Amino acid sequence: MAEAAPGPDVRKLLEEIKRNISWEGFQADRVEKTIQEALATLDSVKLHFLENCVGCAACAPSCPYYYVSEKYGPVEKAELARNIYRKEATILGKLLGPLLNAKKPKSEKDLDTIVEAVYRCTNCGACYVSCPFGIDSGAIIKSILASIATKSGRAPTLIAVFDVIEREKLFLKIPSFMYIWNEVMKKAEQALGKPLPFDKKGAEYFLLVNMADAMFYPDAVIGAMRVLDRAGVDWTLPSKPFAFRPPIAAVIGLFKQAREMLKMLNADISKYEPKNVVLLDGGFVYPWLRFQMPKVLGRRPSYRVLHIVELFEKLIKEGKLKLNQTDDKVTWHDPCQLARRGGVTEEPNFVLSAASKGFRKLPHHGAESYCCGGGGGIGCMNMEMLEQMGKLLGVSSKDLVAGEKELEFIQKTAEHWTIAVKRKIDDIKKSGADIVVTACPVCMHSIAGGAQLYGLKTQVRHIAAYIGERLQ
Amino acid sequence: MGYLGGSTADVYSFAVYYFFWVAITVFAFGTAYRLAKMVLLWRRVVKAEPRNRGVGAWIIGLVRTFVDPIIFSMKAKPHDFLAGLVALHIVGVLPLIFLLAHHVAFFAYWFAPYKLVAETGLWIPLSVTTSTLTITSPIEVKFVNSIWGPLTVILNGDVLAILAILGVAFKIGTKVMEQAHGLRHVRWSDYFSLGLLMFILLTGYAAARHSTGTVTMDVGTYRTVLGFHILGAEILLMLIPFSKYWHFVFGYWYGKLHEWYDLRVQKGLV
Ligand code: SF4
Ligand code: SF4
């Protein structure tokens, strides 16, 4: 990737972000305000998640971070939100306080505990399906606690930077980003042997390539284009990225900003009047665009949202996509956001079975798939990521952390990830697969890193890259 | 003071004739309060187009929504599964509450449709050897031929009460252990809830046998022990809407049906 000197936009952005981020201290007023804001978002479903947990801890072993420490079990982390809820919104909690574990964060240590809970949760939803009461602890951790943490100043600087870059479309002004984008498009044009069908109006399929797609899996972007081209469907793509990884604000619990971002993105896409919008990203981008978008807009968008693997399935069934079937020992890792939180579980199996006779499911797949341990912002919390992004932005990795305390937190998070990823790696080992195919940049990074760590020789590919190479 | 020979100073009469109404009233208000909160916080939203995987997938999804956590718990936490779910819930407390002959008689008195359970013979006897109220009754001891057939060996008050007591003891032990490990979800109110349940089981067990285990009761002691048993149950009834016991009335059913709708119907998770 190209290095760049920091432009004035980046400098200004970093200064501004750092003014809002404070990993040290405890500002009581600010925390109190954030608590009130978080509780104002309660609805009957969240109320159920907060009130009906019986504390049986049946959910505990489902969580990748439970294996780091039992204090990171889902119920333990969500209890921090329940403490606050009981103190603020229940009569008995107000009256009996500690007897009912009703209390609010009162010190720097309390706030740190909340932040730790937020970044020991990937929002994978495994606790949701393993709870006998249908309680989604992850949703509570990643909504109530994350919003309290971030608005109190405790957000990973790097993610906060990306959030602003996305919402202000600064990536269009940062040369290294646009360099990457243009390079990918150039290579795609070479691969297709013809000009790309940019910015067409009313196309059947709008391939929504985001900045992160181009950065993390350029071969998948190209693979998807090859498939669309070969299938002979009417498709287009944007000539410039609309977003970084939308809505990245959601990762740090800034839901108002996430909603604004979705509205903006919808406006951008709608100008092209596509019938279907196709995503490459099977991380949080999928459930937000597919399932949250109508809630945010107050109406269903004028196009359908589908993941590329859903499109592949459709094209194969229609006979438009023909593959050279191989013997690859290949398996599919279900990204939690695409599968458990998005319902796309059957399609990848169908597509990969068509691509290889050696396809096998992982011992834990679909609703029971093991999380890779990297989601929910955790994948951004390591030195490698900071250095890579620092290079792109033309700053040092130190400029992307708010101080010693955040740095230590990042290092501890990265250490804990090494334990959380192990269960996934063991599952892959058991499958005997040589190639792991998936669809989320964080899963890809996490599994590749985990494989290296635990001596598993395996390739990790994006489904669009893998399929793009097996066209008849 | 009192009627039917009872007096408010007598714990049995107090529980049966006076406090009963207090408990029912608190339960009713509590239930209305909890349900009203849910209704008031309900927000209408525009939903995404559901992924349609067909009715068959919905039905399988519904079964899996209920069964998956049980299988998971069986594999991941076998002790919890055996003590918490099997001993305490499935073969312990639930049949004891709803099917024990004495309870069936009581419920049928207050709630006419419950007579059906009595008439179809679905009740379970107090012990495997006698359906009379006590082993001290001067009646010949013989095997009870209930509708449950040989299952009566397990499905009787004696065995179920012991299982339930063991299950509650395990749960209390688990809470103590979890607290010792510094886990924050353990609340003091958990001990109260479980302690109360234990109290109800022990007094019920003792009263049903007219014996505390070592001392055979006279009528006065029996009335007192039974009175405490009923009083305990009434306090638990009052506690239901304000405690974890709400799961049985509402939380469990709502939670699972919501999860089913959200994940299986709307998102099409199979
Ligand atoms: S979230 Fe569910 S499984 Fe976890 S402790 Fe609470 S009730 Fe039990
Ligand atoms: S969502 Fe996943 S990571 Fe978060 S608490 Fe639940 S199981 Fe753990």
Side-chain angles (χ1 to χ4, degrees):
Chain A
M1 284 182 192
E3 287 191 32
D9 290 322
V10 173
R11 282 264 158 243
K12 208 174 121 220
L13 161 80
L14 282 177
E15 277 162 24
E16 219 172 286
I17 295 259
K18 287 202 175 167
R19 264 201 297 279
N20 280 321
I21 291 185
S22 54
W23 278 73
E24 317 264 352
F26 181 82
Q27 299 174 33
D29 298 358
R30 203 169 164 189
V31 174
E32 181 58 33
K33 192 167 163 253
T34 66
I35 287 175
Q36 299 313 327
E37 282 173 10
L39 292 180
T41 66
L42 279 191
D43 57 19
S44 50
V45 176
K46 276 192 198 156
L47 188 74
H48 157 66
F49 295 158
L50 287 170
E51 284 197 331
N52 287 330
C53 168
V54 300
C56 63
C59 53
S62 68
C63 179
Y65 281 87
Y66 171 73
Y67 300 92
V68 177
S69 159
E70 60 182 342
K71 74 176 181 183
Y72 296 141
V75 57
E76 287 304 290
K77 292 178 282 187
E79 182 69 8
L80 294 166
R82 294 193 178 102
N83 290 346
I84 297 170
Y85 164 74
R86 287 187 204 117
K87 184 73 190 167
E88 277 298 292
T90 68
I91 300 165
L92 284 180
K94 280 187 206 283
L95 290 176
L96 300 175
L99 281 180
L100 297 179
N101 282 13
K103 55 192 172 202
K104 287 197 280 187
K106 286 205 188 76
S107 63
E108 177 168 1
K109 202 167 148 255
D110 290 348
L111 192 54
D112 291 345
T113 311
I114 289 181
V115 181
E116 198 173 71
V118 172
Y119 296 101
R120 296 298 176 275
C121 169
T122 63
N123 196 26
C124 71
C127 48
Y128 188 14
V129 295
S130 64
C131 167
F133 304 88
I135 289 170
D136 190 346
S137 299
I140 292 300
I141 297 162
K142 283 297 184 189
S143 60
I144 296 182
L145 294 184
S147 108
I148 291 173
T150 298
K151 290 182 187 165
S152 304
R154 305 282 215 274
T157 309
L158 179 63
I159 308 180
V161 166
F162 281 128
D163 165 39
V164 178
I165 287 182
E166 174 166 275
R167 281 187 287 125
E168 296 188 2
K169 293 201 174 181
L170 285 180
F171 47 81
L172 297 173
K173 294 188 192 166
I174 299 173
S176 53
F177 282 88
M178 290 322 292
Y179 174 81
I180 291 172
W181 178 270
N182 292 331
E183 279 299 295
V184 175
M185 296 307 148
K186 226 190 281 171
K187 283 192 186 132
E189 223 155 48
Q190 278 163 11
L192 263 58
K194 56 179 153 183
L196 300 178
F198 285 126
D199 300 329
K200 264 171 41 184
K201 260 193 166 183
E204 184 79 18
Y205 297 105
F206 188 94
L207 185 66
L208 183 68
V209 184
N210 294 309
M211 198 56 238
D213 300 320
M215 281 168 72
F216 296 122
Y217 32 61
D219 53 347
V221 177
I222 297 166
M225 293 189 203
R226 292 186 67 209
V227 173
L228 290 166
D229 179 59
R230 188 72 65 86
V233 296
D234 175 27
W235 71 284
T236 185
L237 81 162
S239 54
K240 298 259 176 337
F242 292 154
F244 185 79
R245 210 186 157 206
I248 204 159
V251 178
I252 45 174
L254 296 177
F255 296 107
K256 195 168 146 251
Q257 288 83 338
R259 285 194 291 271
E260 278 164 16
M261 181 58 216
L262 280 191
K263 282 186 192 159
M264 208 157 83
L265 183 62
N266 172 62
D268 282 341
I269 297 171
S270 297
K271 278 184 216 145
Y272 297 94
E273 297 166 15
K275 298 198 177 58
N276 299 284
V277 168
V278 183
L279 306 177
L280 288 163
D281 197 325
F284 64 87
V285 180
Y286 182 79
W288 273 88
L289 266 67
R290 171 77 171 82
F291 294 107
Q292 296 294 332
M293 183 90 100
K295 292 183 192 166
V296 170
L297 300 177
R299 61 178 166 79
R300 289 184 183 171
S302 53
Y303 44 84
R304 274 191 174 175
V305 176
L306 62 161
H307 188 263
I308 191 88
V309 73
E310 296 178 85
L311 177 60
F312 288 167
E313 188 215 29
K314 186 170 177 282
L315 294 176
I316 293 172
K317 285 187 171 163
E318 287 170 358
K320 290 182 182 158
L321 171 57
K322 295 205 171 65
L323 302 173
N324 287 320
Q325 207 182 32
T326 65
D327 292 320
D328 289 346
K329 289 181 185 165
V330 61
T331 190
W332 168 257
H333 159 71
D334 286 289
C336 300
Q337 302 297 323
L338 185 66
R340 218 166 359 238
R341 295 213 181 270
V344 179
T345 44
E346 288 291 280
E347 295 79 355
N349 298 336
F350 178 84
V351 172
L352 285 175
S353 302
S356 171
K357 286 199 267 279
F359 169 68
R360 76 271 326 269
K361 290 181 187 172
L362 286 175
H364 296 87
H365 57 265
E368 285 149 19
S369 168
Y370 285 158
C371 169
C372 73
I378 296 171
C380 279
M381 300 179 86
N382 55 68
M383 296 318 293
E384 187 195 335
M385 190 62 84
L386 285 173
E387 271 153 27
Q388 259 189 30
M389 293 305 163
K391 270 187 198 162
L392 276 177
L393 295 171
V395 295
S396 100
S397 58
K398 285 228 172 82
D399 289 324
L400 294 174
V401 282
E404 267 313 301
K405 196 170 164 199
E406 189 191 344
L407 192 63
E408 271 171 35
F409 186 79
I410 288 175
Q411 281 159 347
K412 194 169 148 201
T413 307
E415 239 172 70
H416 286 178
W417 161 82
T418 63
I419 302 168
V421 73
K422 185 166 184 302
R423 210 170 47 134
K424 183 84 230 176
I425 300 302
D426 288 344
D427 215 39
I428 298 171
K429 268 187 195 163
K430 277 190 202 139
S431 78
D434 298 329
I435 306 170
V436 178
V437 174
T438 188
C440 159
V442 174
C443 298
M444 290 173 67
H445 185 257
S446 195
I447 293 173
Q452 200 177 19
L453 195 66
Y454 292 107
L456 173 69
K457 286 199 176 60
T458 183
Q459 276 187 59
V460 183
R461 305 297 310 275
H462 189 286
I463 182 101
Y466 186 75
I467 295 298
E469 287 162 11
R470 274 150 192 82
L471 297 178
Q472 254 181 28
Chain B
M1 234 328 248
Y3 46 90
L4 291 175
S7 112
T8 46
D10 159 21
V11 65
Y12 175 81
S13 304
F14 175 72
V16 172
Y17 301 112
Y18 299 91
F19 200 68
F20 178 71
W21 298 108
V22 177
I24 291 279
T25 311
V26 172
F27 173 76
F29 273 109
T31 300
Y33 168 69
R34 293 280 305 251
L35 293 179
K37 263 213 284 194
M38 285 299 278
V39 172
L40 288 174
L41 279 177
W42 185 73
R43 300 210 178 123
R44 195 184 167 81
V45 287
V46 178
K47 295 231 161 57
E49 187 188 342
R51 188 189 317 282
N52 190 0
R53 296 216 194 256
V55 178
W58 289 2
I59 295 168
I60 295 171
L62 184 63
V63 175
R64 284 197 58 183
T65 300
F66 280 88
V67 172
D68 278 3
I70 297 177
I71 297 173
F72 177 74
S73 164
M74 219 151 73
K75 288 186 196 156
K77 285 184 142 189
H79 300 101
D80 254 345
F81 167 76
L82 278 178
L85 188 70
V86 178
L88 183 55
H89 284 82
I90 298 176
V91 294
V93 166
L94 286 177
L96 265 188
I97 294 179
F98 294 104
L99 293 181
L100 187 73
H102 306 53
H103 294 166
V104 170
F106 176 78
F107 292 149
Y109 176 76
W110 287 107
F111 182 60
Y114 214 87
K115 283 194 180 118
L116 200 71
V117 181
E119 281 156 14
T120 43
L122 282 171
W123 49 269
I124 52 174
L126 190 62
S127 92
V128 71
T129 51
T130 176
S131 60
T132 56
L133 287 182
T134 154
I135 51 166
T136 57
S137 295
I139 290 176
E140 187 196 349
V141 172
K142 60 174 195 276
F143 181 75
V144 176
N145 203 4
S146 86
I147 201 172
W148 301 99
L151 268 180
T152 312
V153 175
I154 300 167
L155 285 181
N156 64 74
D158 265 346
V159 173
L160 296 186
I162 289 168
L163 284 174
I165 288 167
L166 288 176
V168 177
F170 176 86
K171 275 280 155 200
I172 295 174
T174 312
K175 292 282 162 205
V176 173
M177 288 281 289
E178 286 173 338
Q179 202 164 35
H181 284 202
L183 297 190
R184 60 175 84 95
H185 75 264
V186 184
R187 295 168 245 166
W188 288 106
S189 58
D190 290 340
Y191 293 114
F192 182 74
S193 298
L194 289 168
L196 180 63
L197 188 56
M198 186 65 117
F199 174 80
I200 296 167
L201 283 163
L202 291 175
T203 48
Y205 190 78
R209 273 146 206 84
H210 290 196
S211 160
T212 57
T214 48
V215 183
T216 302
M217 296 174 187
D218 57 30
V219 174
T221 316
Y222 167 69
R223 277 179 71 93
T224 307
V225 175
L226 186 61
F228 276 124
H229 172 70
I230 296 169
L231 201 59
E234 287 166 349
I235 293 173
L236 193 140
L237 184 70
M238 290 160 65
L239 202 65
I240 283 177
F242 307 102
S243 69
K244 59 166 62 180
Y245 291 128
W246 182 244
H247 75 265
F248 175 68
V249 180
F250 180 79
Y252 177 64
W253 312 104
Y254 172 81
K256 284 282 114 176
L257 290 177
H258 170 267
E259 181 198 332
W260 170 67
Y261 175 74
D262 178 26
L263 293 183
R264 312 283 178 169
V265 178
Q266 177 72 12
K267 293 178 180 156
L269 178 66
V270 285

